[in-house]
Structure formats: structure tokens, C-alpha cells
Amino acid sequence: MRNRNTKIQQELAAITGESHVLTNDDLTAAYLKERRGRFDSETMCVVLPASVEEVSEIVRLCRKRNQPIVPQGGNTGVCGGAVSNAESVIVNLQRLNRIRSVDQTGYTMEVESGCILADLQFAAIDNDLYLPLSLGAEGSCQIGGNLSTNAGGVNVLRYGNTRDLVLGLEVVLPDGNVWNGLNSLRKNNTGYDLKNIFIGAEGTLGIITAAVLKLFPRPVNRSTVMIAIESVPDALELFSRTRKETSDFASSFELMSRVCVESAFRHIPECSDFFPGRVYPWYVLLELGDSTDGGISQQLNERFLERAFEDGIILDAVLAQNENQSMQMWRLREAIVECQNYEGKSIKNDVSVPLSNIAEFIDRTISSAESMIPGVRSFAYGHIGDGNIHFNLSQPENMDGDAFFDQWYAVTDEVHEIADSLGGSFSAEHGIGLLKTRDMTRYKSTVELDIMKSIKSALDPDNIMNPGKVLPSGLCD
Ligand code: MLT
Ligand code: ZN
């Protein structure tokens, strides 16, 4: 085995240059970190190609050697999709980081997979355009990873999911061939939509090396507001009114429970209460944006808030008066992920249910979780406008962390059962990775699994591309 590994490492080095094949533990460590501390990751080596041609040669070689590959971007995923074992080669795309072109007339940009998401957002702004994909990890995640996981984020409400932002793709297939599907047309109705097979496939069907993304007018006028409300049904009523009364100008509608914001105040120094001295059970962070000359978002927001207040839908609201205040509001929302790290271990759920069932979902899951694990603290928050709730549970103060983690599947099974019974999904935006393959067997029909298996075995008959991810093991062996 050792000789085999050394030989493959040498062959990889012949493709990328020796310095781009990492074997030393100190150098590989950064690629083996797993954000949630849920899985251990190892690797035979990490290879860093710099071009699509190099990716293609690497995959061709691995196919010949029957060598498993784990494609990897910024390694910020939360379901273990980029976790590797000691026999696998990690192919990290960080050196494919060119913005190939920006088309100001067509509102598109062609980018390579290893570009950091925040860099692409800035590049769009430099061209007076807007890339709406936005999520907590945007300073380190790579666009290839975003596309491979179909990551969601905070602007899905107005601009659609990640897959809706993609016009074309370039993909290295599991046999090393390159599919150039770098379409930039809005209309191209010519048979199967191949790009959507690869988006959300988490590297199990090939390696995305480049993409053509849709851009939008830059919402130069943004109006952000922090709203206090009494209950989840009130949040939903507010959401429905927001859509109607602001003519669908809202780009984000985020819900946070008091437990969440209190934890942020406790642990993240730059987070402070927008309603000092007043305690409310639920909060909504709403943002409207437009690119008109006079800027209508602020006016729309003010009028709409006044009416909601008069009608008793909202308890209190603070409208950001400047960019800095808007950023502080977003900092609070983003801190909710971070502050849970200070609350001990946490069991995470990322589900969606039809909007009309959100309140019931939250009530039922809180009471189930608290009866299964007495003393557990429920963090309910998320992109409620998309029906997407992050229902996370923090370790009880008097319980050992490992004993708490032993409850992971019992609790998440219950949460997923409740979501399913309400017409929901066990994974709204984080994908499947390693974490949720067992749910694929539970909730996907045989017909769906058979279609997925057929696609997988047609493209990757030797199962070398990210084996064990997305599809339950046994299905592709
Ligand atoms: C969020 O919306 O904050 C994230 O999707 C949650 C997470 O990364 O766990
Ligand atoms: Zn989220």
C-alpha cells in the first residue's frame, strides 16, 4: 500500500509539480479540519491543481489507478461532504481562482471554482453589479463548493437558490473528460439541463472547475430593520404582508429566537441589543433593496412598519439609519452560528417546511427535544422566508459532551420525522455529505434513489468520485 501511495503521489507531482502535492501532516492539517468537529478526516495526500487541464489529468490518473478522490473547496461545508479517509486523495481547487470575464451587458461573470465567494461579490461591485449569493462563510468558502453543495444563504428569498444563479458550468467528469457547458444564455432549451446534475452533487459526479453566474443590478439603497415580535405566527403574518406591501422588494427575512440573541450578546463582544432593557421572544431581520434613483426601499419599509405596528403585528422595530447600523444587525444574525460554539457541543438541524407549517414545526420540535434531553437549549432561527429553519440544540449544562453527541441521531431522526410529517425536507440548504446519507434511504423513494444510482453509475462506474457521500453506501458499490 505504501509503495502504491508513493507511486501515485509521484505521478500526481508530475502533473502539478512536487510543491503542489502535500503529504506532510503539518501541510495537510488545514484541509482536514471539519467545521463542526463531527467527523475525523485523513488523506493520502492533498493535490492542488492550477488549471482545468491539470484537474483533468489528475482525474484520468486516479481513474486508471482506481484511486478515490475527494474534491474540496474552502472546506466550510457542514455535512462532511469534504471529509476524506486515509486512502483518498483530496483535490483542492484553491489555485483555480481566476475571474475569467465579467459581462456588464449580459449581467454575467465567468469564474473558476477556487474563487473565494467574497472576492466574487467585490468583483461584481467593482463592475457596478451584484452577486447575491451570501452566507456566513463567504470570506473563506469557494464558489465551486457553493455550487457543489447548492449552498443557500440569506438572499434566496429574492434571488433564488444557488442553482438558480448558474447559467453554465465546466466540469471534469470521472473519466477525466472535460464538459464545457459554459453557457451564458438565459434561454437555451436544448434537451436535458446537465448543469443541474452537477450542482448539489457534492463532487460525486465530477469536479466543477468553472461556472457562468448570473449578476443583478446593485441594490445601492438598502433598508435593514430589526423587528421584535410576539410569536412565530406573527412572523409569518409579517412575512406575508412584507411580500404584498413592499412589492416583493425583500431580499432577506430572517427569524431569531430570544435564546439565540441572548447567547450572541453573552459571547460575541461586538453584538449588542437593539432594544436595551426590553426582552422580546422573537426577532426578525428584514432587508429590502433597490437600485432606483430616489431609493424607495427605506420609504416602503417605514410605511409598512407603521401599518404593522398599528395592527399589532410587531412589538418594536429599529430601522438602520446607516450602513454601519445595518452591518451591526447582520453581525448579530451571523453571530448565532459562532456563539453556539461557546455553549458546548451542538446538534444541528437544517430543515425546511411549507411556510404555513413553520409554527407547528417549531413548537413540536422544541417540546420533543426538551423531553428527550432534559435541560437541552433549543436554538431556533433561520431563513424563515424560505421555510428554512436551523433548529440547533446546545448541550445541557449538566451533561457530558460525548453523552450528548450520542443522542445525535435519535434527536435528528425525531426532528426529521416531524419535518417530514409536515411536508418538509431533512436538508434545506446544507446538503447531505456524510451526515445525512441514512436519511436519503428513509425519505427518498425507491424511484428517486434508483434514478440517482443510474446517473452515478453511468458517470462514475468505478465510484471514485467522493465515494460514500450523498448516496447511502451500498447503493453504488
Ligand atoms: C446559517 O444560516 O447561519 C447557517 O446556514 C447555519 C450554519 O452554518 O450552521
Ligand atoms: Zn442557513
Side-chain angles (χ1 to χ4, degrees):
M1 180 59 101
R2 203 159 169 185
N3 286 346
R4 177 187 180 273
N5 289 357
T6 311
K7 185 160 189 300
I8 291 179
Q9 287 160 4
Q10 285 165 350
E11 289 177 314
L12 289 169
I15 298 170
T16 59
E18 211 171 318
S19 60
H20 300 302
V21 179
L22 315 180
T23 52
N24 179 308
D25 288 352
D26 291 342
L27 296 177
T28 57
Y31 302 87
L32 304 178
K33 281 202 187 108
E34 200 265 307
R35 202 174 125 196
R36 287 190 168 165
R38 186 79 186 74
F39 299 103
D40 293 325
S41 195
E42 294 175 277
T43 188
M44 187 238 272
C45 65
V46 177
V47 60
L48 305 171
S51 64
V52 61
E53 292 76 19
E54 286 187 6
V55 178
S56 161
E57 281 187 63
I58 290 167
V59 174
R60 225 180 269 286
L61 168 72
C62 290
R63 173 82 179 263
K64 201 158 88 190
R65 301 271 173 262
N66 204 19
Q67 168 59 50
I69 295 173
V70 175
Q72 192 182 76
N75 199 17
T76 59
V78 284
C79 292
V83 165
S84 164
N85 61 24
E87 288 76 50
S88 297
V89 169
I90 293 177
V91 180
N92 188 293
L93 279 291
Q94 69 189 43
R95 293 177 67 226
L96 265 85
N97 59 1
R98 283 184 316 129
I99 296 176
R100 293 182 182 167
S101 60
V102 178
D103 177 351
Q104 288 181 312
T105 310
Y107 280 65
T108 61
M109 76 196 320
E110 185 178 319
V111 304
E112 292 182 346
S113 273
C115 292
I116 302 288
L117 176 56
D119 292 342
L120 297 182
Q121 295 167 344
F122 286 125
I125 289 171
D126 285 347
N127 286 276
D128 202 24
L129 295 169
Y130 181 57
L131 174 65
L133 179 60
S134 174
L135 38 88
E138 62 199 21
S140 51
C141 62
Q142 295 171 18
I143 189 70
N146 300 141
L147 303 182
S148 296
T149 54
N150 187 31
V154 293
N155 289 325
V156 171
L157 185 59
R158 175 134 167 218
Y159 298 97
N161 239 317
T162 304
R163 68 168 77 247
D164 302 313
L165 303 176
V166 181
L167 289 170
L169 283 186
E170 177 187 83
V171 182
V172 174
L173 302 173
D175 59 5
N177 282 330
V178 180
W179 172 52
N180 181 340
L182 290 167
N183 166 77
S184 63
L185 303 170
R186 308 270 160 165
K187 286 189 167 176
N188 182 7
N189 198 7
T190 51
Y192 303 136
D193 186 357
L194 295 180
K195 67 179 183 306
N196 271 318
I197 296 176
F198 299 100
I199 300 169
E202 302 187 36
T204 57
L205 300 177
I207 302 181
I208 297 175
T209 48
V212 179
L213 303 176
K214 284 185 200 166
L215 299 175
F216 294 82
R218 187 152 77 91
V220 275
N221 315 301
R222 287 201 302 162
S223 177
T224 316
V225 57
M226 185 68 73
I227 304 168
I229 45 161
E230 183 62 45
S231 65
V232 178
D234 282 351
L236 292 162
E237 168 65 20
L238 186 69
F239 177 63
S240 173
R241 284 169 167 241
T242 309
R243 293 201 60 183
K244 236 181 281 166
E245 296 182 26
T246 70
S247 194
D248 257 344
F249 266 50
S251 45
S252 305
F253 194 97
E254 301 281 312
L255 180 77
M256 300 171 274
S257 71
R258 179 73 196 174
V259 175
C260 298
V261 298
E262 256 173 18
S263 172
F265 301 151
R266 227 181 357 260
H267 299 294
I268 314 291
E270 61 278 20
C271 288
S272 56
D273 202 338
F274 291 92
F275 310 100
R278 283 163 284 170
V279 174
Y280 296 115
W282 293 95
Y283 300 84
V284 163
L285 177 57
L286 164 65
E287 186 162 282
L288 267 54
D290 70 273
S291 57
T292 61
D293 213 356
I296 53 173
S297 287
Q298 188 85 352
Q299 295 162 34
L300 275 177
N301 222 343
E302 277 166 16
R303 284 207 297 272
F304 149 77
L305 287 170
E306 257 171 42
R307 274 195 295 270
F309 192 70
E310 279 162 17
D311 294 346
I313 308 291
I314 65 179
L315 301 174
D316 217 336
V318 174
L319 198 56
Q321 295 305 313
N322 49 46
E323 183 63 22
N324 190 32
Q325 218 178 1
S326 162
M327 276 163 57
Q328 282 172 2
M329 290 178 181
W330 277 108
R331 180 68 188 107
L332 176 61
R333 165 64 182 85
E334 272 149 23
I336 291 170
V337 183
E338 204 178 322
C339 66
Q340 285 167 60
N341 297 332
Y342 301 97
E343 301 280 359
K345 291 197 165 163
S346 43
I347 295 177
K348 317 244 186 190
N349 292 285
D350 161 44
V351 306
S352 57
V353 291
L355 261 66
S356 48
N357 291 338
I358 287 180
E360 183 178 344
F361 170 80
I362 292 179
D363 278 353
R364 281 174 61 187
T365 44
I366 289 181
S367 77
S368 280
E370 291 176 2
S371 71
M372 287 175 86
I373 310 178
V376 80
R377 287 156 302 150
S378 306
F379 284 65
Y381 66 102
H383 322 285
I384 187 179
D386 311 327
N388 179 185
I389 305 298
H390 297 303
F391 181 72
N392 296 347
L393 298 162
S394 279
Q395 176 185 343
E397 271 152 24
N398 56 0
M399 189 174 189
D400 169 68
D402 290 339
F404 177 62
F405 258 7
D406 287 346
Q407 301 288 317
W408 185 295
Y409 284 118
V411 179
T412 55
D413 282 357
E414 175 70 10
V415 171
H416 295 170
E417 257 332 292
I418 296 172
D420 185 62
S421 73
L422 295 171
S425 163
F426 61 89
S427 185
E429 61 169 2
H430 292 168
I432 305 298
L434 274 178
L435 189 65
K436 295 186 183 171
T437 51
R438 58 202 287 283
D439 295 289
M440 294 290 276
T441 329
R442 289 160 71 113
Y443 297 111
K444 290 280 174 190
S445 68
T446 313
V447 172
E448 283 173 305
L449 288 172
D450 281 350
I451 295 171
M452 290 191 197
K453 185 182 161 187
S454 305
I455 294 171
K456 171 76 174 167
S457 50
L459 288 178
D460 183 19
D462 301 327
N463 193 20
I464 61 160
M465 297 302 308
N466 220 2
K469 314 292 170 50
V470 181
L471 293 173
S473 60
L475 208 68
C476 320
D477 307 337

